[in-house]
Amino acid sequence: TNPPWLADAYDLTNWLEYLEDLSKDKQSDDGFRWFGLNSNGRSFGSGTGTEPQWLELLGQYLRPTVILPEETKASIDTNNSEETRSILEAQTKFYEALTSGDVEGMKSIWQQSNPSPDVTQVIEDGGRLIGWPECLTAGARPEGMRLSGSDASIVSNSLAYSTIIECPSSISSTQTLLAVQQWSRDSVEDQWKLALHQTIPWTPEVRAQGTLRCDCRGCVALTRGAEKRTFGGITG
């Protein structure tokens, strides 16, 4: 099933015809186009060719309408498929290492051979990478973080995503974060490994002002202003 913050388009054929008509004069032949509507039915953006940063769009324009109940840890539905359960179990191990400061445990979760291009881009643009040993020190790691609404989607035999709502203990219960993890593996015999972890402030009242991206090397932060901020207890 779709995560609670996604919806299916009504009468998809009419939407496709509408978007085709809008883009008749566009010089893009790769077939990818997007058009965004918020919960009030107002458009907030569109584009062709290159996919946008979906998580940033969610934090800016598709914020939650309700706050999910908090849990002390992610729950795994026994009705999920074996593959989905394996993703959610890996997600649970990630948060256990994150909140306890387990550097070796964190290292074992990540795909080590291919650092994320999303993190590399920030570093190459001058962003500061903070390595996992520093991220997981006492006072920096998000001890006591509460989690809710974990879900997973298997895209293919080698690609999957998981989502979850984070509520760090250092901030109000209404100031939640949306987290997305990208998982990969070389073959169905291999274990899923984490390729990218990203969070963004996720509240009904306020638009997100920054985002955190992490890979096997550590974390970087992007903000709308000049000052760096802390998300989920990790300073980027």
Side-chain angles (χ1 to χ4, degrees), residues 44-67:
F44 59 79
S46 62
T48 62
T50 304
E51 291 187 19
Q53 289 289 341
W54 298 113
L55 194 62
E56 280 86 340
L57 287 181
L58 287 170
Q60 286 285 305
Y61 303 107
L62 297 172
R63 303 189 301 278
T65 56
V66 296
I67 300 297

Side-chain angles (χ1 to χ4, degrees), residues 67 70 167 171-176 202-205:
I67 300 297
E70 296 175 15
C167 184
I171 59 178
S172 166
S173 61
T174 61
Q175 301 298 306
T176 54
W202 182 244
T203 64
E205 300 86 4

Side-chain angles (χ1 to χ4, degrees), residues 114-122 213 215 217:
N114 295 306
S116 170
D118 292 296
V119 175
T120 299
Q121 175 191 9
V122 178
R213 299 177 187 174
D215 69 2
R217 297 167 290 182

Side-chain angles (χ1 to χ4, degrees), residues 14-225:
N14 280 343
W15 273 110
L16 291 174
E17 291 176 353
Y18 173 67
L19 292 175
E20 287 288 346
D21 186 62
L22 285 179
S23 57
K24 281 181 179 178
D25 298 328
K26 303 296 183 182
Q27 300 300 314
S28 176
D29 58 2
D30 63 4
F32 179 79
R33 303 176 181 90
W34 71 273
F35 177 76
L37 292 174
N38 63 20
S39 58
N40 295 322
R42 300 181 64 180
S43 64
F44 59 79
S46 62
T48 62
T50 304
E51 291 187 19
Q53 289 289 341
W54 298 113
L55 194 62
E56 280 86 340
L57 287 181
L58 287 170
Q60 286 285 305
Y61 303 107
L62 297 172
R63 303 189 301 278
T65 56
V66 296
I67 300 297
L68 294 177
E70 296 175 15
E71 304 167 5
T72 56
K73 62 179 181 179
S75 59
I76 299 176
D77 190 341
T78 56
N79 293 322
N80 286 328
S81 69
E82 182 178 349
E83 288 281 40
T84 299
R85 288 198 302 272
S86 68
I87 292 292
L88 296 179
E89 288 169 357
Q91 183 191 61
T92 297
K93 291 179 181 178
F94 167 75
Y95 280 103
E96 288 174 349
L98 179 66
T99 56
S100 67
D102 183 355
V103 176
E104 289 303 315
M106 180 63 75
K107 183 178 180 180
S108 69
I109 293 166
W110 286 95
Q111 171 186 282
Q112 299 292 330
S113 58
N114 295 306
S116 170
D118 292 296
V119 175
T120 299
Q121 175 191 9
V122 178
I123 297 171
E124 292 178 347
D125 289 340
R128 180 190 175 201
L129 174 73
I130 298 184
W132 281 113
E134 185 176 350
C135 291
L136 298 177
T137 58
R141 63 178 181 262
E143 296 180 77
M145 175 187 285
R146 299 176 299 280
L147 304 167
S148 183
S150 61
D151 204 350
S153 176
I154 310 296
V155 179
S156 68
N157 287 332
S158 59
L159 178 65
Y161 291 89
S162 58
T163 59
I164 200 165
I165 302 299
E166 302 178 354
C167 184
S169 60
S170 58
I171 59 178
S172 166
S173 61
T174 61
Q175 301 298 306
T176 54
L177 308 175
L178 172 63
V180 177
Q181 294 90 31
Q182 178 184 328
W183 303 87
S184 65
R185 62 183 180 182
D186 293 329
S187 69
V188 293
E189 288 78 23
D190 295 328
Q191 291 185 335
W192 290 102
K193 292 293 184 179
L194 189 54
L196 176 68
H197 167 74
Q198 186 173 0
T199 67
I200 198 164
W202 182 244
T203 64
E205 300 86 4
V206 182
R207 288 186 178 184
Q209 298 298 310
T211 183
L212 184 76
R213 299 177 187 174
C214 306
D215 69 2
C216 58
R217 297 167 290 182
C219 299
V220 295
L222 291 169
T223 65
R224 290 176 61 87

